[in-house]
Amino acid sequence: MTEETPGFEEKPDVPSGATPEDAEPKDAPSAEGASPAGDASAAAQTAGLTAQLDQVRTALGERTADLQRLQAEYQNYRRRVERDRIAVKELAVSSLLTELLPVLDDIGRAREHGELVGGFKSVAESLETVAAKMGLQQFGKEGEPFDPMIHEALMHSYAPDVTETTCVAILQPGYRFGERTIRPARVAVAEPQPGAQSVKSDDTTAEAAEDKENGGPDEG
């Protein structure tokens, strides 16, 4: 068993022919020598991240545009569906009210002849109230100008006291639902008497000529 001699430190083996300096550990490469390579790597990494960010932004813009387009199409679809729903409802109500018009005509004739009494009067008034709540409006009055868009002339005559074609009698009232005329008013019309306008003009001319001959109209 060997004993270690105190006072001596062990040294690493040195290959033969090597100097003592070869046995000492070499210093690590300085940081200054690795700086250019590190900067190039960081720049490349930054450029890659920037390119990826640009791609993400482009994709986000495209998806946002798609979403906005879909939202606009959906809003247009909702408005179109709502218009169609209202149109179908109005058409159904208009058809129902059109079927009720003969009943309303019978009620009107009964009222004119004084036959709208008792329970029949109550039922008739309730029916008219319901029809009015649904939007049915009656029109057509004596003395109003004739309008072929809302009137249907069933009788024709001449009258000296009218200056234009006028409804002189309402044979059957008209009805409208909203802006739609579901039945025109059936009326008797009167036109100005032929020649009445020319006779009036001749009289006016003669009076003017007479006044001129007499030196003008009397004063005072």
Side-chain angles (χ1 to χ4, degrees), residues 7-211:
F8 292 92
E9 295 180 356
E10 295 183 356
K11 295 183 179 180
D13 295 336
V14 179
S16 104
T19 62
E21 289 79 3
D22 295 335
E24 296 179 358
K26 296 182 179 179
D27 296 335
S30 62
E32 296 180 356
S35 178
D39 291 345
S41 176
Q45 185 177 5
T46 302
L49 293 175
T50 302
Q52 292 179 1
L53 180 60
D54 292 339
Q55 292 177 356
V56 170
R57 286 176 177 173
T58 302
L60 179 61
E62 294 175 352
R63 299 301 177 270
T64 302
D66 292 341
L67 180 60
Q68 292 174 347
R69 183 172 59 256
L70 289 175
Q71 186 176 7
E73 291 178 356
Y74 176 67
Q75 293 296 334
N76 292 334
Y77 168 76
R78 287 187 58 186
R79 285 192 291 266
R80 185 168 61 254
V81 169
E82 184 65 16
R83 287 196 303 267
D84 293 344
R85 185 186 67 82
I86 294 175
V88 170
K89 180 182 177 181
E90 290 180 350
L91 182 61
V93 174
S94 178
S95 299
L96 174 61
L97 294 175
T98 301
E99 296 297 327
L100 289 177
L101 294 186
V103 180
L104 297 176
D105 291 337
D106 292 339
I107 293 174
R109 283 190 290 267
R111 182 178 286 112
E112 291 175 357
H113 291 84
E115 299 175 357
L116 200 61
V117 295
F120 176 55
K121 178 180 179 181
S122 177
V123 173
E125 291 177 348
S126 298
L127 179 60
E128 290 176 335
T129 301
V130 171
K133 286 183 178 180
M134 295 178 68
L136 185 66
Q137 299 176 358
Q138 186 183 95
F139 66 90
K141 295 181 180 180
E142 294 183 6
E144 62 185 7
F146 176 76
D147 184 354
M149 299 298 295
I150 60 174
H151 296 134
E152 180 182 354
L154 300 183
M155 299 177 63
H156 179 270
S157 63
Y158 296 97
D161 56 343
V162 297
T163 58
E164 60 180 340
T165 305
T166 306
C167 301
V168 295
I170 306 300
L171 306 178
Q172 199 173 47
Y175 290 95
R176 67 168 58 95
F177 173 66
E179 300 296 328
R180 180 185 307 172
T181 299
I182 58 179
R183 190 182 74 183
R186 292 163 181 169
V187 300
V189 300
E191 290 184 307
Q193 190 73 31
Q197 188 68 25
S198 61
V199 170
K200 185 177 180 181
S201 300
D202 293 341
D203 292 342
T204 303
T205 303
E207 291 177 359
E210 184 178 355
D211 292 338

